[in-house]
Amino acid sequence: MSESRFKKILVTGGAGYVGTSLVPELLKNGYKVRVFDNLRYGGDGLLHYFSDKNFEFVKGDIRDKKAVEKAVEGTDAVIHLACIVGFPACKKEPELSREINVGGTKNLVEATNGRAPIFFASTGSTYGQLKEDLCTENTPVNPLSDYGKHKVEAEEIIKNGNKGEYVIYRYATAFGVSGRMRLDLLPNDFTYRAVKEKSLILYEKTFLRTFIHVRDMAKSFLFALENYDKMKGEIYNVGDNSMNCSKEDLAKMIREKVDYYLHFADVGHDIDQRDYMVSYEKISSLGFRTTITLQEGIDELIKAAEALEVRNSYSNV
Ligand SMILES: NC(=O)c1ccc[n+]([C@@H]2O[C@H](COP(=O)([O-])OP(=O)(O)OC[C@H]3O[C@@H](n4cnc5c(N)ncnc54)[C@H](O)[C@@H]3O)[C@@H](O)[C@H]2O)c1
């Protein structure tokens, strides 16, 4: 059971990849949970929790100010996940993603107005391409993609609008299996390709990235709820120093477990030019540690690949 003073938590975007790992952790720790989500990717990942008396679901759009005001009522903390996530999705629908990622955050802050703290899932994409060797929370932000830019704007809205009642988490890239699965995250994508397609063409192989298991992301929110008084009003990088590695290291880690063809290409370019080492000293000095390694996550992803099938609707096979 939790030690926290918060009782009822609103989780925006709680039907997504992170949300469907977070909701069970919150319920297990005695919180009442209200998920607010427009079910852009469906709600199957939450079905299991509808029988729990402490679970409530509200279908709504974060762009709808009135609906957000109503969703906040009766809750004493908000975990804000609702978002169009990642640079390719934001690039595909630039106006919509800005309305959701920036405008939706503004609606939320206007609804809470400092009465409830906001725990915000931001990202290391805010740092963009780095000039420094090690990225800390004091490193200036320099987002390259619309996604990173939206997150910086949303952070500012929360910092300036919620009367100091917030914790901002800049996460590493998530990996692992969750109720709403995502295969567009680097470790999940590489492992799926290795198992199913038996090959991977890798460019920008030396680029350094940093990772965190999705259940450790969930645990980091529990940690913030329990340690709010000493964490409030601050930004934290969230991940683990041991999970800073290159794309090549990641691909080779998978090859230790799956026999597949790995080709390093000279051409190919990611819009999100993240190539950085991140320091997690600030949050670890407060006692937060991740619990699941990249190797353990890869094992889990290999097992899950058996149960996952991405279908091509233009092919008969
Ligand atoms: N997964 C990662 O690697 C990672 C890393 C850093 C930060 N984050 C952040 O964590 C949060 C959750 O990410 P995720 O991986 O679960 O993504 P996801 O796409 O699986 O989940 C996003 C959820 O938001 C909901 N949503 C989208 N538009 C909405 C709207 N207009 N109104 C209400 N709900 C809406 C979707 O239906 C979905 O359930 C995001 O804010 C993301 O930026 C994720």
Side-chain angles (χ1 to χ4, degrees):
M1 281 298 139
S2 104
E3 302 281 306
S4 127
R5 64 182 151 96
F6 303 108
K7 303 282 174 260
K8 184 157 183 175
I9 319 296
L10 173 67
V11 184
T12 75
Y17 176 68
V18 176
T20 50
S21 283
L22 171 64
V23 167
E25 283 294 327
L26 290 170
L27 291 170
K28 205 165 69 191
N29 281 276
Y31 293 99
K32 293 184 190 309
V33 179
R34 177 184 293 158
V35 165
F36 179 86
D37 198 299
N38 70 349
L39 300 186
R40 183 179 164 92
Y41 309 110
D44 287 3
L46 289 176
L47 285 179
H48 187 65
Y49 310 109
F50 280 79
S51 59
D52 192 315
K53 64 177 179 2
N54 288 329
F55 177 76
E56 199 186 330
F57 177 75
V58 177
K59 186 171 179 191
D61 195 309
I62 196 104
R63 292 172 299 165
D64 177 347
K65 212 166 164 347
K66 287 251 163 338
V68 174
E69 280 167 13
K70 201 153 182 295
V72 166
E73 268 172 34
T75 62
D76 53 11
V78 181
I79 298 177
H80 180 33
L81 306 176
C83 186
I84 301 297
V85 182
F87 72 84
C90 290
K91 190 168 176 233
K92 195 170 168 203
E93 294 178 283
E95 279 164 35
L96 177 74
S97 60
R98 192 158 197 288
E99 281 171 24
I100 293 171
N101 301 356
V102 181
T105 303
K106 194 159 173 279
N107 285 345
L108 185 64
V109 169
E110 284 172 6
T112 51
N113 193 25
R115 285 185 297 273
I118 297 177
F119 298 85
F120 181 50
S122 188
T123 164
S125 297
T126 51
Y127 295 116
Q129 202 171 16
L130 276 190
K131 309 267 178 298
E132 297 166 27
D133 289 344
L134 187 65
C135 177
T136 73
E137 292 80 356
N138 297 324
T139 301
V141 291
N142 178 28
L144 300 173
S145 65
D146 279 352
Y147 174 58
K149 288 176 187 162
H150 295 169
K151 286 292 188 187
V152 170
E153 277 191 69
E155 285 186 3
E156 286 303 311
I157 290 168
I158 292 169
K159 280 199 304 200
N160 298 328
N162 215 40
K163 302 182 174 161
E165 298 294 335
Y166 65 85
V167 168
I168 292 171
Y169 274 169
R170 290 184 181 149
Y171 283 106
T173 298
F175 64 93
V177 178
S178 192
R180 188 245 147 183
M181 196 49 194
R182 281 185 59 192
L183 290 176
D184 56 337
L185 297 160
L186 215 59
N188 297 7
D189 174 42
F190 284 11
T191 310
Y192 184 83
R193 285 175 199 269
V195 174
K196 295 289 203 189
E197 296 167 12
K198 298 276 172 221
S199 70
L200 176 67
I201 296 171
L202 187 62
Y203 52 87
E204 295 172 337
K205 66 174 185 172
T206 58
F207 274 34
L208 288 171
R209 294 289 296 270
T210 174
F211 303 102
I212 181 169
H213 194 283
V214 64
R215 284 198 297 284
D216 281 326
M217 286 179 82
K219 288 200 166 84
S220 70
F221 282 118
L222 271 291
F223 184 81
L225 287 165
E226 288 173 11
N227 294 282
Y228 182 63
D229 291 332
K230 59 180 176 198
M231 294 183 77
K232 69 184 254 185
E234 295 277 337
I235 296 176
Y236 302 86
N237 293 331
V238 186
D240 192 285
N241 291 339
S242 68
M243 282 189 277
N244 281 308
C245 72
S246 70
K247 287 163 74 172
E248 177 177 6
D249 292 337
L250 171 65
K252 286 184 170 165
M253 232 179 260
I254 298 167
R255 210 170 46 179
E256 280 167 23
K257 321 232 168 176
V258 184
D259 185 22
Y260 76 100
Y261 173 71
L262 176 59
H263 176 74
F264 298 114
D266 296 328
V267 285
H269 176 73
D270 223 328
I271 304 175
D272 181 355
Q273 285 284 294
R274 267 183 292 176
D275 178 13
Y276 61 177
M277 284 265 286
V278 179
S279 165
Y280 298 105
E281 199 43 49
K282 184 171 175 182
I283 193 159
S284 72
S285 71
L286 294 176
F288 178 75
R289 298 279 182 284
T290 61
T291 60
I292 307 170
T293 64
L294 206 39
Q295 283 84 352
E296 286 165 332
I298 290 165
D299 288 342
E300 172 188 294
L301 287 160
I302 292 168
K303 268 206 268 176
E306 292 296 328
L308 294 169
E309 200 65 64
V310 178
R311 288 182 206 285
N312 172 357
S313 52
Y314 298 105
S315 165
N316 285 359
V317 284

